[in-house]
Amino acid sequence: MADTGGDMVQRAVEDAVAVLRTATDRDWRAVDAGRTTWSCRRTAEHVASCLLAYAGQLAGRARDAYVPFEITLDGDEDGLDPADNEGVLHVVETTGALLTAAIRTTPREVRAFHPYPFRSANREGFAAMGVAEVLLHTHDIAQGLGLAHEPPADLCTYVLGTIFPHVQPAADPWRTLLWATGRGDLPGRAPVTDWRWSNNLVVPADRLTLEGVTPLAAADLAAGGDGGFVWVEGGPFEGTREAAVMTAKAYEAGVHRPEFGLFVLVRHEDGRAIGGMGFHGAPDEDARAEIGYDLTERARGHGYATEALRALADRALAREDVRSLFATVELDNVPSQRVLERAGFVRVSEGEDELYAYELRRN
């Protein structure tokens, strides 16, 4: 999983500009973009503004808010000659190049502020958001101008698998993305009237960060890849790959919930992934969720699993829809039993089916 998203942004911008350049002789100010109330010109300016803003967030390492600047095109203020349509497309190309460069030069562990839904995004998240802005608003402009537009399917799959983890994929990723953003219909699914994309969740711990695994990264892990993480020697362990398979299957079935998915444990000291931890699915009817974990052999014995389990358990039990957590461990796996006990879990069975069961309940 070598690409960090920069290539995706570059390709999306190139494809969009090629389509829109066929209609630069039209009056973009006089035509609304698709179902929006914006003109085609205003919509193109919005695309450029988003690309620049995302580049600024990453380059500026923004923590708590957007970097306080905005783009202004010639003609948007009195006294300036207006930029023509070709000039607007040049700005889109330029801001796309800036975001591409920011993505390619930002370390993988960096996160910057974005409000939805967990107050931050990594470079892959900003790349997917940038591609989404380009694809969707090019569609809007093309509708207004009466142009044919169908972006490459892999770009749509990239967006869906990165920032739409709650949307069940379908045979046609472009039509699925349009449906998911209220721009079209999909057979067998109700129309979407309210939507938002979702960047991956991260859970902080003292020496680690638990990074939520997107469906795209889960599919890569399940297929034998690295999921976009830099692993210590021996990783990822087989249990993490099995959990990735579960995540990918849940996504394909339309039942994946990122808060109850797979997390990769990334060590602060060197940015390397040392294991996986997560849930077997969403809470059941008794508000109980099952949790599991594994670490690469070289990372064991340092308290990482206990630290991560405490952080993830605390976050889960703070939710209204979770009253207890459940875990099972083999009878002879004493180190894993000690991890559960140090994290506050209590043994609630005596070895049925060659497993001990442990539980942690909300106070």
Side-chain angles (χ1 to χ4, degrees):
M1 195 171 172
D3 180 48
T4 61
D7 290 348
M8 296 293 187
V9 173
Q10 182 177 6
R11 288 177 53 215
V13 169
E14 289 172 351
D15 178 75
V17 169
V19 171
L20 299 180
R21 190 159 272 149
T22 64
T24 53
D25 60 334
R26 302 274 300 279
D27 184 356
W28 288 13
R29 294 179 186 272
V31 181
D32 286 345
R35 302 180 184 180
T36 75
T37 58
W38 290 347
S39 70
C40 290
R41 158 106 179 188
R42 173 70 184 88
T43 304
E45 292 175 3
H46 172 76
V47 172
S49 179
C50 289
L51 295 174
L52 182 63
Y54 296 161
Q57 293 302 94
L58 287 174
R61 306 293 194 263
R63 292 181 177 271
D64 303 312
Y66 282 109
V67 178
F69 70 95
E70 61 182 2
I71 192 169
T72 301
L73 274 65
D74 288 352
D76 291 344
E77 292 184 351
D78 293 337
L80 296 174
D81 292 332
D84 60 13
N85 293 334
E86 184 60 41
V88 173
L89 291 181
H90 192 190
V91 175
V92 171
E93 289 177 314
T94 302
T95 53
L98 291 172
L99 177 56
T100 297
I103 292 165
R104 289 173 175 167
T105 56
T106 297
R108 66 155 311 281
E109 67 272 11
V110 168
R111 296 185 72 87
F113 172 81
H114 189 276
Y116 308 124
F118 303 119
R119 309 294 290 177
S120 71
N122 58 11
R123 62 189 184 186
E124 286 81 7
F126 279 106
M129 289 187 288
V131 173
E133 297 283 1
V134 172
L135 299 187
L136 295 170
H137 289 306
T138 299
H139 166 78
D140 297 336
I141 298 170
Q143 271 197 328
L145 297 174
L147 304 175
H149 172 239
E150 175 128 7
D154 66 319
L155 293 180
C156 307
T157 298
Y158 173 75
V159 171
L160 289 166
T162 305
I163 57 173
F164 286 89
H166 51 289
V167 173
Q168 183 179 14
D172 188 330
W174 176 226
R175 300 304 180 281
T176 304
L177 182 58
L178 291 176
W179 168 82
T181 57
R183 288 172 168 82
D185 299 322
L186 205 60
R189 303 193 192 183
V192 172
T193 58
D194 186 29
W195 62 274
R196 229 185 260 294
W197 54 49
S198 176
N199 283 290
N200 71 319
L201 169 66
V202 294
V203 179
D206 290 340
R207 297 173 296 165
L208 306 164
T209 297
L210 285 72
E211 298 192 16
V213 176
T214 66
L216 197 69
D220 185 67
L221 280 168
D226 58 19
F229 297 90
V230 180
W231 292 85
V232 297
E233 183 181 352
F237 203 61
E238 192 59 33
T240 299
R241 294 204 187 278
E242 292 173 357
V245 171
M246 293 172 57
T247 299
K249 287 182 176 178
Y251 173 62
E252 291 291 334
V255 297
H256 176 55
R257 291 176 59 185
E259 300 94 325
F260 296 102
L262 170 64
F263 296 80
V264 164
L265 280 54
V266 179
R267 199 162 51 191
H268 291 164
E269 66 181 46
D270 57 6
R272 292 186 174 270
I274 61 172
M277 181 174 292
F279 301 90
H280 291 204
D284 61 19
E285 61 274 10
D286 295 321
R288 184 176 73 162
E290 185 172 359
I291 199 166
Y293 52 88
D294 73 354
L295 261 65
T296 56
E297 291 188 17
R298 289 179 175 271
R300 297 172 187 172
H302 300 282
Y304 291 128
T306 300
E307 180 180 317
L309 184 57
R310 285 172 176 161
L312 194 58
D314 286 348
R315 190 184 191 285
L317 290 173
R319 297 174 56 95
E320 289 296 323
D321 55 351
V322 179
R323 286 200 296 269
S324 67
L325 299 175
F326 176 75
T328 60
V329 61
E330 295 83 0
L331 301 185
D332 60 351
N333 191 348
V334 176
S336 188
Q337 295 168 29
R338 296 293 176 264
V339 167
L340 288 164
E341 291 164 359
R342 286 194 293 269
F345 283 71
V346 176
R347 187 190 298 176
V348 293
S349 79
E350 292 302 325
E352 293 87 347
D353 299 322
E354 303 300 318
L355 295 169
Y356 286 130
Y358 285 79
E359 186 180 50
L360 178 62
R361 299 188 65 83
R362 186 167 61 195
N363 292 333

